[in-house]
Amino acid sequence: MADVEIFKHDILIVGTGLAGLSAAVEAAQRGKDVATVSITQAYRSHSSAAQGGINAALANVAEDDSAERHGFDTTKGSDYLADQKAVLAMTEQAIPRILELDKLGIPFSRTEDGKIAQRPFGGAGYPRTCYSTDKTGAVIMMGLYEQCLYHEVPMYEDRIVLSIGEKENKIKGVVAINLITGKLEIFQASAVIFAVGGAGRVFKDTTNSWHNSGFGFVLPYFKGVPLKDMEFVQFHPTGLATNAVLLSEAARGEGGYLRNKDGERFMKNYAADKMELAPRDIVARSIQTEINEGRGCGPDGDYVELDLTHLPAEQILSRLPQVRELAIRFAGTDLIEEPAPIRPSTHYTMGGISVNDKTESEMTGLYAAGECSCISVHGANRLGGNSLLECCVFGKISGVSTSEFVEANKVDDDALEVLQKEADEVEANIQNLFNGEGSEDGFKLMAEMQKVLSKNLGVFRNKEGITKAQETIKDLKERYKKIKVKYTGRIYNWELARLYMLGGQLHLAEVIVEGALKREEFRGSHCRTDFMKRNDKKFMKHTMAHYDVKNDTCKISYSKVDLSIWEPEERKY
Amino acid sequence: MMSEQVIFRIKRFDPENAEQGSYWEDFKVDRKKGKTLLEGLFDIMENLDGSLAFRFACRAGICGSDAAYVNGKYVLACQEQISFYTGTIKIEPLPFYPIIKDLVIDMEPFFSKIRAVNPFVILKKSLEKEVIQSSEEKELMGNSIDCILCGSCYSSCVTVWTDPEYLGPAALLKAFRFVRDSRDAMTDERIGLINGNHGVWRCHTAFNCGEACPKELNPTEAIAYLKRQAVKKRFSRLFGK
């Protein structure tokens, strides 16, 4: 039997970004025995890199804004693949949730009358994005982290969850590796919330953190929980061309222009009305089209420019200090004086672990919230400012749901037995990696996966490219069986951890590819150049990927979209 | 053409082989325009030595995971361009902290001080219905809200080195953030918390913290403000104001 340490809590949250911390604070306020476990130290999660803001129809700036209008914009932005009642629930709860955050001392930027300031954002009919300069994610996360300190929530850090313990479709807890001791640990819990963030790192050029591997997505999947709509991946229009670090949409919200090599504001040819503030999928495609058609800038013509030079320096310094700093540090350009080179970069995973609007998955006791979940409130394309919102609203809801769940359910007697068995399996997997054949190099396989996905499942897709990716991923899955982890020490063994996770990432890549291949239409972020129209008759449905244990591959089925509030129409801006 | 490769001289420590102690090891890393120190460390992990341990996350200077001591300066490895360095690049974990492995340190001494200053807003009763804070009031907190808890300042502080109980620059900057927050009801109690034997008066105004901060914050100035407030509080008690 594997040598393990055992921890027990009623509610365990995997991940400490905005969703995880929202859940933790809610459960703690309700006096529950709740703990978090995270791959990083608790404050390092990637919500901190979200810059521009968080949407709520507070109507502090535009008086006639409403939750209903916010819901409509979100649904239209989603190209009608979002579930409409869930969307409206989110936009309605946005208002009290932001006011609640304000009372926790989050330092939002303010209006002249001392209320929370709001700025325009892409795809929104009104200025409804609340912000704190361009560090919104960081300050909210800090505020919630501080609340966790107030409530003395136990936070287990430097740990990677490697498996779920489950029996008869009921969760018993998780198995993790503690990087600091190198030992496996069992976390027994009646309710587990997955809040592990995005999966940008299955692609090559991504705005995501090193830790957004997507591995957390496949743990529930391997145990029977479906992944929903994974083919919908958002490419942020303005990743820095040098290293894909995000320059916030706030830069355009504050009035920034996009220009091609001729200095032309090319968005007038794609979205004459909304221009640079069209939704992200449209702006990303427009940029890529300019590049593909030879109007990109630079010696290789592989980027366009984000131009703020017409804005007063004071405005840039006071509202976009971090955007400016990032461009200086990573591209060597000061936005006050010159434009920055940008191009679309993999940014956000619209799909995820399939859950309902209470954040419940199909497995009893397993919940998911934030980017790794899919309710769906973003459908085929997410609007800027709605991701932090989803985390704060549904993170809190998952705290409510799990609190109620643990009140009604006792710990199972067989939990430790199930988890110990699971730990033994994880240990066997680790030993297999240590003792592998070694004819393949794991990190090279990882790079190949990222490259083939970025090349063939990027802003534009077609059958030929996706099929190529399908073959490559299948091949990589076979070759993965021949890798070897060379360093066999246990403590802080990132070679082991990253290559262990690669096994799961390849399955996630497969789910993305299979969904994209079968969805023969153009909807939101999923632009099939061989099927250039949205096809509501055939594809107004969610893709559901189930793990097929026998064949070690995925099986695609579909589920209904909730269209009960707004009638789908053509999406024009 | 600049040379194709650069030497990373890394201070290493393997807890599974602790009797060996700390030692230096050299690695050759490809130099490429735009490449950061953090990317160089990943090159080593993936191609040369999988045992190399370091912390990382956002790689954009926002999360504070990868503070290190490089050629005698405090930096975030992710926002340092390799091309800016000439000669060997000496990389060490942040001084003063207990080392877990290689560049990974035990930050509990740092976080225990952060917790000690009650780092959370206790809302004024008058704001329970609706929070109103003017831009001017918000500005009082200044850039103290931008601290990313990377731990560099704590490592650089001469007082921390001589008095391990000293709260240190980051925790005091955190205290300043709440003292300056117009919404907070606990100002007096907060001044009490930082006014003790291991509080603000231990700061010798060496300014190391400001120099070490990768976000260009100035804890020394914040500490000076807290000292003034502590004096004011004492005087107001003496003269009944």
Side-chain angles (χ1 to χ4, degrees), chain A residues 59-78:
Chain A
N60 288 350
V61 175
E63 278 179 19
D64 50 347
D65 197 8
S66 68
E68 203 271 344
R69 289 189 163 125
H70 181 186
F72 172 75
D73 287 344
T74 300
T75 302
K76 182 179 169 188
S78 81

Side-chain angles (χ1 to χ4, degrees), chain A residues 68-137:
Chain A
E68 203 271 344
R69 289 189 163 125
H70 181 186
F72 172 75
D73 287 344
T74 300
T75 302
K76 182 179 169 188
S78 81
D79 222 345
Y80 293 91
L81 195 67
D83 289 305
Q84 299 184 356
K85 280 199 211 88
V87 168
L88 194 60
M90 176 175 80
T91 59
E92 280 172 353
Q93 285 172 51
I95 298 165
R97 182 66 177 135
I98 297 292
L99 297 177
E100 184 185 8
L101 291 175
D102 204 16
K103 287 177 188 165
L104 297 181
I106 311 287
F108 286 110
S109 294
R110 317 302 295 195
T111 62
E112 273 180 20
D113 51 356
K115 295 181 176 183
I116 296 171
Q118 300 189 278
R119 61 162 55 123
F121 240 50
Y126 297 84
R128 71 166 72 96
T129 304
C130 311
Y131 62 95
S132 177
T133 65
D134 54 358
K135 299 172 185 176
T136 315

Side-chain angles (χ1 to χ4, degrees), chain A residues 502-515:
Chain A
L502 175 63
Q505 287 182 287
L506 288 168
H507 280 272
L508 193 69
E510 181 179 66
V511 170
I512 294 170
V513 165
E514 292 299 326

